[in-house]
Amino acid sequence: MVDNNLSPASITSNLGTHFVGQRVFYYPSLTSTMEVARREAQLGAVEGTVVIADEQTAGRGRIKRVWLSPKGSIALSIILYPSVVYLPSLIMLASLAVVHSIEAVTGLRSQIKWPNDVLVNDRKVCGILIESSVRGSIVDYAVIGIGLNVSLRLSDFPEISPTATSLSDELGRDVSRLSVIRRLLVEVERLYLALQAGGSIYEEWRDSLVTLGRRVRVKSGKTMYEGIAESVARDGSLLLRHSNGNLSKIVAGEVTLRD
Ligand code: BTN
């Protein structure tokens, strides 16, 4: 069994970041790290504070879905206080940080399904949820929530096993959650600082999307779109070309690849 001690000290010690992951709240079991992170942000937690749980009992996914996060997965939330102009980039930042960390720790190549599912061999290994409180042009806080299937056997979870995978299932061996978490925190800070220094992560995010050029169906609210995922805009929205030639700009939705 690889090292799975997620104590704050094991995460922060010699982490090599300036602020992301320097303060960690760890819980063996929690409803949702998003809840605690939001509360800590409202209380003024320092930027980069991380809330992490060994397991969540009421994990939240996008579009009000339930997120299953049993022991063996990573469930963490990171508190940031970005300027409003960087908010759309947080989705890109988080998914790229996950892709980089998976590759650095395991050597596995992963891809992003718009807007921010991370896939390995076409199966979902990670989901990302961004929540923020914004008043006009003032961001009170933003929370990046990351759920990553690290060392769990998907055959134990038939409800998601047809479309999901884990790093250990892909590799056929256990993977250290601690190594993935530490790398993830380093990557989040590196990309966040690069963004604030005027760098762009849009191009790399766009080029990591499996979605582009594919025939897709997109459920956005009550509307269902179908067409070719032509491109993504700098604000992260999907540009979908319909068979009649029209173009739709979709801000949020759930994509199914059709080809
Ligand atoms: C999705 O793909 O629908 C997003 C899933 C996000 C799950 C993570 S796990 C850590 C954090 N806490 C939650 O309750 N949700 C996010």
Side-chain angles (χ1 to χ4, degrees), residues 32-34 56 58-62 65 67 74-77 117 124 127-129 145-147:
S32 163
T33 57
M34 298 307 278
Q56 296 183 119
R60 296 210 305 260
R62 289 173 53 235
R65 286 177 309 201
W67 180 259
I74 289 174
L76 64 78
S77 296
D117 286 349
K124 182 162 170 171
I128 295 163
L129 182 65
I146 298 175

Side-chain angles (χ1 to χ4, degrees), residues 1-7 11 26-28 52-55 69-76 105 148-152 167 174-184:
M1 189 56 140
V2 292
D3 175 18
N4 271 325
N5 167 15
L6 299 187
S7 68
I11 293 170
Y26 161 75
Y27 299 83
I52 190 158
D54 247 332
E55 71 171 339
S69 40
K71 286 200 168 76
S73 63
I74 289 174
L76 64 78
V105 176
L148 179 51
N149 300 333
V150 182
S151 278
L152 46 103
L167 298 180
D174 273 353
V175 175
S176 159
R177 282 189 303 166
L178 189 57
S179 307
V180 178
I181 290 164
R182 285 169 57 91
R183 186 62 189 228
L184 194 51

